[in-house]
Amino acid sequence: MLVDSNSQRGSVVLRGIEIGLDTDIGRGFVIDCARFTEGLLPEDQIKSKYGLSDNAWARLADNAPLVRAVETEKTRRVRDGAAAREKAQWLFVQAPTVLGNILNDTTASPRHRIEAARELRQVATGGAESTPATGDRVIIRIDLTAGGGEVIEFDKALAIEPGSNKEAQEGDEPFDKGLQQSGDERQSGGGNPFIPAELRALPEAIEQQRMSGDTVSQWMQRCIDADIIRRPAGPHGREQTHCPGTRIATQHLFEAYAADCKQRGVRAVNYQEFGRACTQVFGLVQKCNAEFNHDEWGYQKGPVRRPHGYDVPTAEVWQERLDARLGIPGKNLQNRNKGEK
């Protein structure tokens, strides 16, 4: 197979033609051989691509320049990460099949099936991988000084960053307010701007959106349905509850939320993130009435404190605010769709 055994660069015969290893075809053959040793290309594919017989393929091991070139290419691919990237890409091809099996498995939990659907949508639409890097910018410079003008320069970021479009913020109206989705809605996992509002207002779609929100939204929905907020049992074993339509301390709300997550076996968000979600639904934090610290016998201990809390609305108002956070259309459109059935 080796044509010139004394050559420093070496060559190989492919489809009956002598090809130097330093040519484009020769370098491509070396890269494919390196991929074969990494398990990325099958032997039959390389033989078919370059017209190699079984005997010619076996004799490649005696081509010393080729062996050295392949080893050098393997080292380069490891160092620049090409080998790891291509390996990861081949493995990632299996992800849609695995996610599809989870999505179609009726015995799997609804949460896992919903998460699989989200991941499949992310893969299908390209997700964040197709978004330009934040630091990438495009600069356009127009020189009009030859005609007595000035130099005009436009410097814009390729990626859309919050607050980057000042012109739109200062008065330009969005093309369709009905299709907009706030950052809070995206964070909560609700609201799909690509689904018409009429479809999102159907009862089945509303129920699905309410159950596909984050853990805070799901806890709020359960409180609305039960028309009560349940906290874990106190030191004397009695269940502690709060009714909507009252001001409740943030700590008490978080205790109820954390207990609900523990009971369902899901991970609760931290206290700060929970507070941000409450502010989105309930409004600004308020001062609650004074609370007295008591010991296990019921005697007062420690100073009186006024904790911070939220004005939790009645169940009906709470539902409207939670639906707004999830991007669910208002009652008018929902009622209209019910009347059309």
Side-chain angles (χ1 to χ4, degrees):
M1 181 58 58
L2 179 61
V3 176
D4 184 2
S5 60
N6 296 321
S7 172
Q8 289 286 336
R9 298 177 179 176
S11 60
V12 67
V13 176
L14 304 175
R15 296 188 180 275
I17 302 174
E18 179 186 352
I19 304 295
L21 297 180
D22 57 346
T23 63
D24 291 339
I25 297 177
R27 284 194 293 270
F29 180 70
V30 170
I31 294 174
D32 284 345
C33 289
R35 288 172 174 161
F36 165 74
T37 61
E38 295 164 356
L40 298 176
L41 280 181
E43 176 182 325
D44 294 341
Q45 185 174 337
I46 298 179
K47 289 180 180 179
S48 176
K49 180 178 179 180
Y50 295 100
L52 296 173
S53 64
D54 293 340
N55 185 35
W57 174 260
R59 289 171 56 193
L60 289 179
D62 300 328
N63 191 331
L66 174 62
V67 173
R68 288 196 300 269
V70 171
E71 291 298 324
T72 302
E73 178 63 21
K74 285 174 56 180
T75 303
R76 183 195 67 80
R77 287 170 54 79
V78 170
R79 288 178 177 174
D80 65 10
R85 284 194 301 271
E86 291 187 24
K87 187 69 173 179
Q89 290 168 358
W90 278 106
L91 292 174
F92 185 72
V93 171
Q94 305 172 20
T97 302
V98 176
L99 293 172
N101 292 337
I102 297 175
L103 179 63
N104 296 320
D105 186 2
T106 57
T107 62
S109 68
R111 178 181 179 84
H112 291 165
R113 298 180 69 185
I114 292 172
E115 290 296 332
R118 288 180 181 173
E119 291 298 328
L120 280 172
R121 182 176 64 180
Q122 183 96 1
V123 174
T125 58
E129 296 176 355
S130 60
T131 304
T134 305
D136 294 342
R137 306 184 69 83
V138 58
I139 301 175
I140 302 175
R141 189 172 185 271
I142 304 175
D143 191 348
L144 303 176
T145 54
E150 57 183 7
V151 177
I152 303 176
E153 186 172 297
F154 300 92
D155 185 356
K156 297 291 183 180
L158 290 178
I160 300 176
E161 302 174 15
S164 62
N165 192 348
K166 295 182 179 179
E167 293 83 3
Q169 294 178 358
E170 292 174 356
D172 291 344
E173 291 295 328
F175 69 97
D176 188 349
K177 292 183 179 179
L179 295 181
Q180 283 190 317
Q181 181 187 24
S182 68
D184 294 334
E185 292 171 354
R186 288 192 299 271
Q187 182 179 2
S188 66
N192 188 338
F194 301 105
I195 300 179
E198 288 76 7
L199 294 181
R200 287 186 282 126
L202 293 176
E204 299 82 0
I206 292 174
E207 185 65 24
Q208 183 177 2
Q209 274 189 282
R210 286 173 177 170
M211 293 308 298
S212 63
D214 59 8
T215 55
V216 179
S217 298
Q218 294 179 18
W219 166 74
M220 289 185 177
Q221 187 62 56
R222 275 185 286 276
C223 293
I224 293 172
D225 294 340
D227 199 19
I228 199 169
I229 301 172
R230 302 182 185 277
R231 292 166 53 199
H236 303 290
R238 291 179 299 178
E239 183 183 56
Q240 305 175 73
T241 60
H242 300 276
C243 294
T246 57
R247 182 172 295 180
I248 305 175
T250 310
Q251 181 62 37
H252 295 168
L253 292 173
F254 185 76
E255 290 173 356
Y257 160 72
D260 179 76
C261 290
K262 183 178 180 180
Q263 182 180 3
R264 294 189 297 119
V266 298
R267 182 188 297 272
V269 300
N270 58 44
Y271 191 86
Q272 289 74 18
E273 188 172 347
F274 176 79
R276 286 193 292 268
C278 288
T279 302
Q280 294 170 10
V281 178
F282 302 140
L284 297 177
V285 70
Q286 306 290 337
K287 278 283 190 179
C288 295
N289 295 329
E291 286 190 356
F292 299 92
N293 294 325
H294 297 85
D295 57 20
E296 56 182 326
W297 294 282
Y299 294 102
Q300 179 180 340
K301 68 172 184 177
V304 178
R305 63 186 185 92
R306 294 190 62 190
H308 290 89
Y310 293 94
D311 289 328
V312 179
T314 59
E316 183 177 1
V317 178
W318 191 355
Q319 185 69 76
E320 292 178 0
R321 295 184 183 179
L322 180 59
D323 287 349
R325 181 173 188 256
L326 296 173
I328 298 175
K331 275 191 171 182
N332 293 335
L333 188 55
Q334 296 178 25
N335 294 334
R336 187 180 74 186
N337 282 344
K338 289 180 181 178
E340 292 175 352
K341 286 194 170 184

